Amino acid sequence: MKKILIVDDEQDIVESLKFVLETADYLCYCAYNGEDGLKLAKELMPDLIILDVMMPEVDGFTVAKRIRENPETKNIPILMLTALSMVQDKVKGFDIGVDDYLVKPFEMEELRVRVRALLKRADAIPESLATKEILTVGDITLLPESYSVKILDKTVKLTPIEFDILNLLVQNHENMVSSAKFLQEIWGYAPEDDVETIRVHIRHLRSKIKKISNGKEYIETIYGGGYRLLSKGKEPKS
């Protein structure tokens, strides 16, 4: 039975989440502040952490950062629940290494879908890393063992989701990958109204790539459709 740690300072929300998830056959543990959440994460080593952002004393961003910095807990999937819906808030969470971001209020069925998808994705990670296959297309070389990308002679480390996004683009290089395909292949679901998740990750991935590519663009937006990898890159506009 999969273990889920819920960290939120609102007891009513915690109890509701616990009830919904336990009826789906998950084993739930609860913490009502950041410090207790960190302590339980280390003790329990849960399969997934559901983490609120706005908590007193230690907020969710700080908790997520400490979880990612700890070698023992760094690979535990994190689903953030928050009332913060601005793009910069999502970027901050994804930069820390949060796996998914659900804005309050939300439907419990959507929560179940995302929990199921994150757990399925986490189970698949060891298998993908076991191959340790280095893949090169044009200027780009993917290094799965370290979740890094090398462009020409420079390397930058990516979050697991950023790596998976770039890998999907590489596998389909020069062809468009739709937002729905990203959501289905990487997160395991494809709600029509969640393309913002993809936009935020793509924006952040582009920023990292630009730092090692002298400003060259390698991910092209196909408006109204999706994204395409330019394996040789495109020079920045002067």
Side-chain angles (χ1 to χ4, degrees):
M1 184 178 290
K2 296 291 187 180
K3 296 183 294 185
I4 297 178
L5 173 61
I6 303 168
V7 187
D8 195 313
D9 65 321
E10 296 185 57
Q11 187 168 350
D12 290 346
I13 291 177
V14 172
E15 292 301 321
S16 296
L17 294 175
K18 185 173 184 288
F19 175 79
V20 168
L21 293 170
E22 287 186 340
T23 58
D25 293 326
Y26 298 114
L27 183 61
C28 294
Y29 298 87
C30 306
Y32 299 94
N33 60 69
E35 288 294 350
D36 287 347
L38 283 167
K39 182 179 178 181
L40 282 176
K42 296 173 186 176
E43 291 177 358
L44 299 171
M45 292 300 295
D47 298 287
L48 173 68
I49 297 172
I50 297 177
L51 178 63
D52 184 36
V53 171
M54 303 299 288
M55 293 185 292
E57 297 182 16
V58 181
D59 64 36
F61 290 130
T62 302
V63 174
K65 186 172 185 292
R66 291 183 186 176
I67 287 170
R68 288 290 176 256
E69 289 172 345
N70 187 322
E72 295 179 357
T73 61
K74 67 178 182 179
N75 293 322
I76 299 174
I78 299 174
L79 171 60
M80 265 195 161
L81 303 181
T82 181
L84 300 176
S85 59
M86 299 297 289
V87 169
Q88 57 263 36
D89 296 317
K90 292 187 177 183
V91 169
K92 183 176 180 179
F94 290 141
D95 188 29
I96 292 169
V98 169
D99 295 272
D100 204 354
Y101 208 112
L102 193 54
V103 177
K104 299 175 182 177
F106 53 86
E107 297 293 332
M108 287 298 181
E109 181 56 32
E110 184 177 6
L111 172 77
R112 282 194 290 264
V113 169
R114 295 197 184 209
V115 165
R116 188 164 57 245
L118 283 173
L119 290 170
K120 181 179 178 181
R121 182 177 176 275
D123 287 341
I125 288 174
E127 181 180 350
S128 64
L129 288 179
T131 62
K132 298 182 181 178
E133 178 183 358
I134 296 175
L135 181 62
T136 298
V137 173
D139 297 343
I140 299 171
T141 298
L142 296 179
L143 307 169
E145 191 170 9
S146 60
Y147 281 127
S148 300
V149 59
K150 183 178 181 181
I151 297 180
L152 300 175
D153 61 342
K154 295 181 180 178
T155 303
V156 66
K157 188 170 179 60
L158 307 175
T159 66
I161 285 182
E162 288 168 351
F163 184 90
D164 286 347
I165 289 172
L166 188 55
N167 182 42
L168 190 56
L169 285 167
V170 166
Q171 297 289 346
N172 295 271
H173 67 281
E174 310 301 338
N175 296 314
M176 186 191 79
V177 180
S178 69
S179 295
K181 185 175 178 64
F182 277 118
L183 289 166
Q184 186 63 55
E185 294 289 328
I186 296 173
W187 282 268
Y189 63 87
E192 295 179 358
D193 62 347
D194 202 25
V195 295
E196 184 60 33
T197 294
I198 301 301
R199 292 194 187 106
V200 171
H201 280 295
I202 291 288
R203 186 181 298 117
H204 212 223
L205 182 56
R206 279 175 170 151
S207 177
K208 288 187 177 181
I209 288 174
K210 279 186 177 182
K211 291 178 181 178
I212 62 169
S213 67
N214 296 320
K216 288 180 73 174
E217 293 277 1
Y218 283 87
I219 301 174
E220 179 183 30
T221 299
I222 308 298
Y223 289 98
Y227 302 91
R228 178 171 60 195
L229 182 77
L230 305 176
S231 59
K232 288 292 185 179
K234 182 173 68 175
E235 294 294 339
K237 295 179 181 180
S238 57

